[in-house]
Amino acid sequence: MTHLKFDYKNALSFVSEASINAYQPQINKHFESLFNKTGKGNDFLGWIDLPDNASEEMLQKLEKLAVALRQKSEIFVVIGIGGSYLGARAIVDALNHHFSQLKQNGDSPVVIYAGQNISEDYLHDLLEILDQKDYSMSVISKSGTTTEPAVAFRILKNHIEQKYGVAEARKRIVAITDKEKGALKQLADEEGYETFIVPDDVGGRYSVLTPVGLLPIAVAGYNIRTLLKGAKQIKSQIESDYSISKNPVSAYAAVRNELYKSGKTTEIMVNYEPRLYYFTEWWKQLYGESEGKENKGVFPAGVGFTTDLHSMGQYIQDGLRNIFETVISVEKPDHQVKVPSEAKNLDKLNYIAGMPIHEVNRQAELGTTLAHIDGGVPNLRITIPKVNEEVLGEMVYFFEMACALSGYILDVNPFDQPGVEAYKKNMFALLGKPGFEKETEEIRKRIK
Ligand code: PA5
């Protein structure tokens, strides 16, 4: 049984049911090419089978290592960028206490991140904290050559070796990288780090259910088997029936493509739970890198309500009418806090005294949805009962599959990212990287 529900009734005053159902033949065809691995980018479809294929040996190795690292670490640093970072952060943040970094004597290491930017001050401040705390780290890079994590790892490798000595440092570093290629694999072999492999046929942004996501999630104290179980459950639902009326992936892919065709070119993911902030960031990367190419693609944006109703809410209600919303609606909170009653009632809140805060949030959600529909913003809704490992596993697989399907409907390869190279080429030329001499000369002339 799966938990996630998809509802698009609040888009039907913008696009017709008939136009959505017209996607069924191509959806059937695209599912076949995904499952038979015959479509565009078919050498990067390994993620489809991850929920079924996770080996007992790998899971046990991950769990054992996670226990060992948890015992000796107050902090666990995850070094990586893009798909080698956002999946882990999305899940860990969704499951964590909101103030985990401030919790005294928490029984799990605080997971923090590096290599996702090139800020000198960020790294300085990180080193200052790591001077005072026991820590270990994973360095995650499929290619092993990405500049941001490579710079961060060089700095943290020096730090950890100085802090603990080389032999102990080696026991505190885990490398997650490609099977054969790449500098990181060579370094890990030479230094004898514990290593996990990113399968060749799984691209970064589809890698959260590999050790890329699973190790940090396990070190943070969460159940990776339950996460995989959620993904497996929704996988079998997806495989059993492709029809738009029964399959939430088919429905989501069809509706968002039809909205896009009707001029709604920006999709805003909306959540009402701050713990889902990085889930939205993960989704933005997944959809942005997968669909945004060949001058096409829905622009993925994100907001957190009700916070952003006091900023972006104005634009969404009244600005350019090229947007639609996809709301992640959580039915039940983990805890209950009620609005207290006040004798003086100066703030005039006694009309909701005794009401659970989540109920206030739900009414805010309903009121906002209606206001935005009235303002010309179609509303898609994904409902989940709770935020836990199983449901997050479902959500991950749901969005991955819908992204692949949507990309095929759009007729792009959802598994490459050629556009990411342009900034790298310029940066290497500006930094004077060997091999980029011609580009260096050209770019220096251009910026004179
Ligand atoms: O989704 C992707 O493929 C990218 O976002 C990569 O994950 C990102 O560029 C990091 O690459 P790598 O893991 O090779 O360091």
Side-chain angles (χ1 to χ4, degrees):
M1 228 247 327
T2 52
H3 302 86
L4 176 155
K5 305 259 177 303
F6 175 65
D7 177 359
Y8 60 92
K9 70 171 181 300
N10 288 326
L12 291 176
S13 49
F14 301 89
V15 285
S16 71
E17 190 87 61
S19 68
I20 293 164
N21 287 333
Y23 282 83
Q24 192 65 63
Q26 52 167 323
I27 281 178
N28 296 346
K29 187 181 84 188
H30 295 320
F31 264 131
E32 290 306 329
S33 40
L34 283 168
F35 286 117
N36 296 329
K37 301 195 174 21
T38 52
K40 284 187 181 176
N42 58 0
D43 44 348
F44 278 98
L45 292 175
W47 58 272
I48 291 180
D49 303 314
L50 289 172
D52 301 321
N53 284 357
S55 75
E56 185 55 36
E57 189 194 340
M58 179 194 73
L59 291 173
Q60 279 185 21
K61 183 177 158 190
L62 281 166
E63 286 165 342
K64 209 169 138 210
L65 184 61
V67 170
L69 295 172
R70 282 166 62 78
Q71 274 163 5
K72 55 179 169 187
S73 315
E74 295 167 278
I75 288 182
F76 185 65
V77 188
V78 177
I79 303 175
I81 195 165
S84 288
Y85 143 74
L86 282 163
R89 189 160 196 179
I91 305 298
V92 170
D93 275 25
L95 296 169
N96 259 355
H97 189 284
H98 286 89
F99 305 100
S100 57
Q101 305 212 354
L102 298 176
K103 261 184 105 180
Q104 300 293 312
N105 309 319
D107 54 5
S108 293
V110 175
V111 180
I112 54 181
Y113 302 86
Q116 83 282 31
N117 59 52
I118 329 180
S119 162
E120 188 161 348
D121 286 339
Y122 184 98
L123 282 164
H124 165 271
D125 290 358
L126 176 61
L127 291 176
E128 203 174 81
I129 296 297
L130 297 179
D131 277 341
Q132 301 154 23
K133 301 279 182 188
D134 274 318
Y135 74 102
S136 53
M137 63 189 175
S138 64
V139 50
I140 308 176
S141 178
K142 180 164 176 173
S143 64
T145 53
T146 307
T147 307
E148 291 89 340
V151 167
F153 182 56
R154 187 181 269 222
I155 289 168
L156 293 192
K157 179 175 181 289
N158 276 334
H159 186 272
I160 204 167
E161 285 177 352
Q162 271 167 29
K163 181 164 175 141
Y164 295 104
V166 173
E168 175 59 18
R170 285 176 172 160
K171 294 186 198 144
R172 289 175 178 264
I173 298 174
V174 184
I176 305 179
T177 187
D178 183 89
K179 186 162 69 207
E180 273 147 21
K181 315 185 280 261
L184 182 56
K185 176 66 183 150
Q186 192 187 338
L187 181 71
D189 287 346
E190 280 176 21
E191 301 273 344
Y193 300 151
E194 196 65 84
T195 307
F196 289 92
I197 298 305
V198 191
D200 282 347
D201 56 358
V202 180
R205 59 191 176 275
Y206 292 83
S207 69
V208 56
L209 300 177
T210 72
V212 170
L214 298 178
L215 180 72
I217 294 165
V219 174
Y222 300 111
N223 192 328
I224 53 177
R225 290 176 194 261
T226 313
L227 185 80
L228 286 163
K229 179 179 154 207
K232 196 178 161 105
Q233 279 165 186
I234 203 161
K235 177 174 186 278
S236 55
Q237 184 195 348
I238 294 165
E239 282 169 323
S240 68
D241 190 337
Y242 299 159
S243 61
I244 290 170
S245 59
K246 302 230 174 62
N247 187 320
V249 168
S250 304
Y252 178 52
V255 179
R256 65 192 296 284
N257 274 281
E258 187 55 15
L259 287 168
Y260 173 69
K261 247 174 64 188
S262 77
K264 305 291 185 191
T265 54
T266 295
E267 176 176 8
I268 305 181
M269 176 168 277
V270 180
N271 71 68
Y272 286 78
E273 293 294 338
R275 51 163 53 178
L276 294 177
Y277 178 85
Y278 269 95
F279 193 87
T280 299
E281 293 302 300
W282 170 81
W283 170 85
K284 276 162 61 182
Q285 192 233 352
L286 178 62
Y287 280 70
E289 266 192 356
S290 299
E291 290 190 317
K293 51 197 70 159
E294 300 174 30
N295 299 325
K296 297 191 265 193
V298 178
F299 181 82
V303 291
F305 287 166
T306 61
T307 312
D308 290 331
L309 287 172
H310 300 260
S311 66
M312 297 302 288
Q314 172 59 39
Y315 190 102
I316 297 170
Q317 188 69 47
D318 262 352
L320 194 62
R321 298 299 71 190
N322 65 339
I323 52 183
F324 65 99
E325 290 179 318
T326 298
V327 178
I328 307 287
S329 182
V330 182
E331 282 177 322
K332 277 208 180 69
D334 292 343
H335 308 283
Q336 201 176 66
V337 178
K338 290 183 177 173
V339 180
S341 179
E342 283 275 357
K344 288 192 180 156
N345 194 26
L346 291 177
D347 54 11
K348 306 272 186 291
L349 280 180
N350 273 356
Y351 75 104
I352 50 170
M355 191 182 274
I357 300 295
H358 190 67
E359 188 51 29
V360 183
N361 208 16
R362 280 172 75 86
Q363 298 314 321
E365 178 185 330
L366 183 56
T368 305
T369 299
L370 296 173
H372 288 180
I373 297 165
D374 292 346
V377 180
N379 188 284
L380 313 182
R381 191 155 181 258
I382 288 162
T383 307
I384 52 172
K386 276 178 91 64
V387 178
N388 59 28
E389 287 97 327
E390 191 173 341
V391 170
L392 288 167
E394 281 183 29
M395 297 234 288
V396 161
Y397 200 81
F398 167 85
F399 281 114
E400 287 180 346
M401 192 55 94
C403 185
L405 195 60
S406 269
Y408 278 1
I409 294 172
L410 205 60
D411 196 21
V412 296
N413 176 354
F415 310 110
D416 66 2
Q417 54 284 329
V420 177
E421 296 312 311
Y423 99 90
K424 289 187 189 166
K425 196 181 99 196
N426 286 346
M427 178 176 73
F428 293 149
L430 289 164
L431 289 171
K433 184 172 177 170
F436 284 76
E437 291 76 8
K438 201 166 131 270
E439 288 85 351
T440 300
E441 202 183 310
E442 279 164 12
I443 205 162
R444 292 212 170 131
K445 267 191 227 146
R446 191 175 151 193
I447 58 172
K448 244 197 207 151

